[in-house]
DNA sequence: TGTACATATGAACAGATGTTCATATATGAT
DNA sequence: ATCATATATGAACATCTGTTCATATGTACA
């Protein structure tokens, strides 16, 4: 019962606040969503993911395509892996990365719509 | 003509790299996309946007729903405004915020699919 | 004009983030 | 075993980010 302690009487629309509060997903879901979007919120990772939309690539290829150090790519790949945004298969010494599922492509498509309008 | 200066001969898949490089969108688009996703990549902003999916709300309502200071909400709203993710209308002293367009709902839907699977 | 209220904004500060550098691990070849 | 290569990882560091606190702006009303 943590009620309003600001804007005591005037500004708050009680019913609205109650309704929205109930509809609002939990703290954990909000955190997960934010974590996902945050992972997409970096130019290097955007480029990695977009590159992988074309085809699977090894770390070395990604380095060449994107133009950052191999270490930086590797660090970012770890983040993307942790969030199940990319997966990889091993072939000898080489690791081939690819998108984990097709959500990312849809997210990018939506994002591009917003950005390029 | 900045060619490969690492993994000289062995690892790079030249054709792949060339192809992906051509397909890759420009630096500016990558930056814009990252900026958009970064804006969605914070719990407070996620909650603000999700709240506004239900209905338009004033700053004071948002403060009550989300449970952070009015100043914090206001700062975050500025970021969302700058990226044209939310808009507002004034009614006397009160500002009613709402989602700028329906891209955000689609992005959230996609994001939730990934998170809750 | 002055007061009250809703919201915005700037500065400051703690904590998070991305890169670099050095080093470690894993695989294949000699 | 030793070595070279492809990738991963930890530490360090500079930069960025979100909140708080204090203050400013804008609107309504007396």
């Amino acid at each position: 019962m943590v009620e309003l302690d600001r804007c005591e009487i005037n500004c708050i629309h009680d019913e609205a606040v109650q309704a929205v509060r109930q509809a609002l997903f939990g703290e954990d879901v909000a955190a997960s969503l934010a974590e996902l979007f945050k992972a997409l919120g970096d130019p290097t990772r955007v480029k990695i993911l977009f590159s992988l939309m074309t085809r699977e690539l090894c770390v070395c290829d990604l380095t060449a395509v994107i133009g950052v150090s191999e270490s930086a790519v590797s660090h970012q790949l770890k983040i993307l892996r942790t969030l199940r945004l990319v997966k990889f298969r091993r072939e000898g010494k080489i690791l081939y990365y690819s998108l984990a599922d097709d959500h990312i492509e849809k997210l990018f498509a939506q994002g591009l719509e917003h950005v390029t309008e």
Side-chain angles (χ1 to χ4, degrees), chain A:
Chain A
M1 290 296 162
V2 186
E3 282 310 307
L4 32 136
D5 50 9
R6 282 184 53 81
C7 292
E8 297 294 347
I9 304 163
N10 304 319
C11 128
I12 271 197
H13 304 76
D14 276 320
E15 353 132 27
V17 170
Q18 295 303 328
V20 174
R21 241 192 204 148
Q22 292 207 322
L24 198 62
F25 40 53
E27 197 73 31
D28 49 336
V29 177
S32 299
L33 254 185
E35 199 181 25
L36 166 63
F37 286 125
K38 196 190 296 183
L40 302 178
D42 170 78
T44 299
R45 290 194 292 270
V46 164
K47 289 177 202 160
I48 289 176
L49 292 171
F50 191 83
S51 298
L52 296 180
M53 282 172 72
T54 310
R55 50 134 86 213
E56 69 170 9
L57 291 167
C58 71
V59 178
C60 193
D61 291 338
L62 283 169
T63 298
V65 170
I66 299 174
V68 301
S69 76
E70 175 274 323
S71 180
V73 170
S74 198
H75 276 294
Q76 302 306 344
L77 282 172
K78 177 168 193 173
I79 294 174
L80 297 175
R81 244 161 39 214
T82 302
L83 288 170
R84 312 192 326 278
L85 291 170
V86 301
K87 63 187 183 206
F88 64 94
R89 70 183 176 83
R90 160 158 258 141
E91 197 167 299
K93 292 181 279 194
I94 298 178
L95 298 185
Y96 288 94
Y97 278 85
S98 55
L99 297 184
D101 58 53
D102 56 346
H103 287 140
I104 301 105
E105 317 208 20
K106 292 180 188 165
L107 280 167
F108 269 56
Q110 283 296 322
L112 276 172
E113 258 188 50
H114 183 85
V115 164
T116 63
E117 84 180 354

